[in-house]
Amino acid sequence: MNRVAIVTGAARGIGAATVDALVNDGYRVVAVDRCRDIPDIPYALATPADLEALTTRHGDHVLGLVGDVRSATDMRLAVETATRHFGRLDAVVACAGVVAGGAPLWEISDATWDAVWSVNVLGVRRIIDAAATTLIANGPDANGRIVAVASAAGSMGLRHLAAYSAAKHAVVGLIRGVAMDLAEFSVTANVVSPGSTRTAILEASAQIYGLESGEAFASQQPINRLITPEEIAASIAWLCTPSSSAVTGADVAVDGGMTVR
C-alpha cells in the first residue's frame, strides 16, 4: 500500500526536495505552502508558480494545497485533503520556516518576533494538532511519522538572530515532548537540524550579516561547503520509513559538522 504524507513549506527549498524524495520512495504527497509573503519577513517567500512547478513534475503523486501553517483551519484541511484524496495519512513533515533579525534582541520588534515564532513554532504545532489523531487511529503497525525541520541554530546561539535561534530551540523541545506523548501509539516524532543549506533562508541570513551571498557560510562547516536541500531531504525521507522505527525524540544534525563539540 502506498504511503501518504503532508509536507508544509513544500513549494521550494528543503520542502520541495523532501516532496521529491518521498515520491521517489513511493509516497503520495499533499504539498502545502502559503504561497505569499509575510509583511514582517524581509524577503520573498515561495509563489503559486513554485508550488505549481512542484506538482506538475510529479503528476498524480502530488496534490498542491495553498495554506498557512499558522492556521488551525488550514492544517485540518490539509489532513482532510490527504485522507479524502489519497485515502490515508502516514506521515507529516513540517518544513515551513522563516528567518528575520539583524539586530540585538532588544532592538527586534514584537512583530518580527511574532512572525518568526508563529511560522517556525506554532506552525509545527498546528500540523501536529491536526494530524495526531489520524496517525494514532491508523494503529500501532502503521509506522506513523512526524518530522520537523529545525536548524543548527536549535542547539547554538547566532549573533543578531536570537528570535530565530530561540524558535528553533523550541522546535526541538516541542518534538521531544510530542515523541513521548506518541510513543505508546508507535508514532515517532523527530527533528532534522540542517546546517548552512542552499535555500532562500540562507540568502536572507547572508543579507542580515551584510554578506554578498550564502556561499560565505560554507567555511562555518568542517566539510567546507554548503549542504544541498537534497541532502537534508534524504534524512527526512529515511525518518519517514519503517526502518526508522526505533528512532524517536531525536535531533538529527545534518550540518556538515557545524555543531560537533
Side-chain angles (χ1 to χ4, degrees), residues 25-122:
D25 281 353
Y27 267 86
R28 292 166 294 173
V29 180
V30 175
V32 183
D33 204 285
R34 175 183 165 87
C35 291
R36 64 186 187 279
D37 293 343
I38 296 174
D40 295 293
I41 299 302
Y43 59 95
L45 302 184
T47 66
D50 293 325
L51 185 59
E52 183 178 1
L54 176 71
T55 58
T56 297
R57 71 172 175 262
H58 289 300
D60 293 340
H61 294 286
V62 175
L63 179 66
L65 181 67
V66 175
D68 192 324
V69 292
R70 301 172 297 181
S71 165
T73 299
D74 286 1
M75 294 304 97
R76 285 195 298 268
L77 177 61
V79 173
E80 292 166 4
T81 299
T83 55
R84 182 178 66 251
H85 189 81
F86 291 126
R88 59 184 294 113
L89 178 64
D90 302 280
V92 294
V93 182
C95 289
V98 295
V99 68
L105 177 65
W106 53 91
E107 296 178 9
I108 297 299
S109 70
D110 285 350
T112 296
W113 174 277
D114 290 346
V116 170
W117 270 70
S118 63
V119 176
N120 292 332
V121 185
L122 180 61

Side-chain angles (χ1 to χ4, degrees), residues 106-209:
W106 53 91
E107 296 178 9
I108 297 299
S109 70
D110 285 350
T112 296
W113 174 277
D114 290 346
V116 170
W117 270 70
S118 63
V119 176
N120 292 332
V121 185
L122 180 61
V124 176
R125 179 195 169 182
R126 291 297 190 214
I127 189 58
I128 294 172
D129 284 351
T133 55
T134 299
L135 296 175
I136 291 168
N138 289 339
D141 298 324
N143 294 300
R145 300 286 184 261
I146 294 171
V147 183
V149 175
S151 168
S155 60
M156 59 191 296
L158 297 178
R159 181 175 179 268
H160 287 181
L161 285 175
Y164 179 74
S165 182
K168 291 304 187 178
H169 274 73
V171 171
V172 175
L174 176 66
I175 291 297
R176 284 176 170 163
V178 168
M180 298 301 98
D181 290 340
L182 291 172
E184 65 185 285
F185 305 108
S186 298
V187 176
T188 67
N190 293 288
V191 173
V192 170
S193 287
S196 295
T197 306
R198 285 194 177 91
T199 61
I201 281 182
L202 190 71
E203 294 305 317
S205 299
Q207 292 178 12
I208 286 171
Y209 291 120

Side-chain angles (χ1 to χ4, degrees), residues 1-20:
M1 179 182 295
N2 287 334
R3 288 168 65 80
V4 176
I6 296 169
V7 177
T8 68
R12 69 182 185 189
I14 292 170
T18 298
V19 173
D20 294 341

Side-chain angles (χ1 to χ4, degrees), residues 140 143-145 186-188 190 238-248:
N143 294 300
R145 300 286 184 261
S186 298
V187 176
T188 67
N190 293 288
W238 178 76
L239 287 169
C240 290
T241 67
S243 298
S244 68
S245 57
V247 182
T248 197

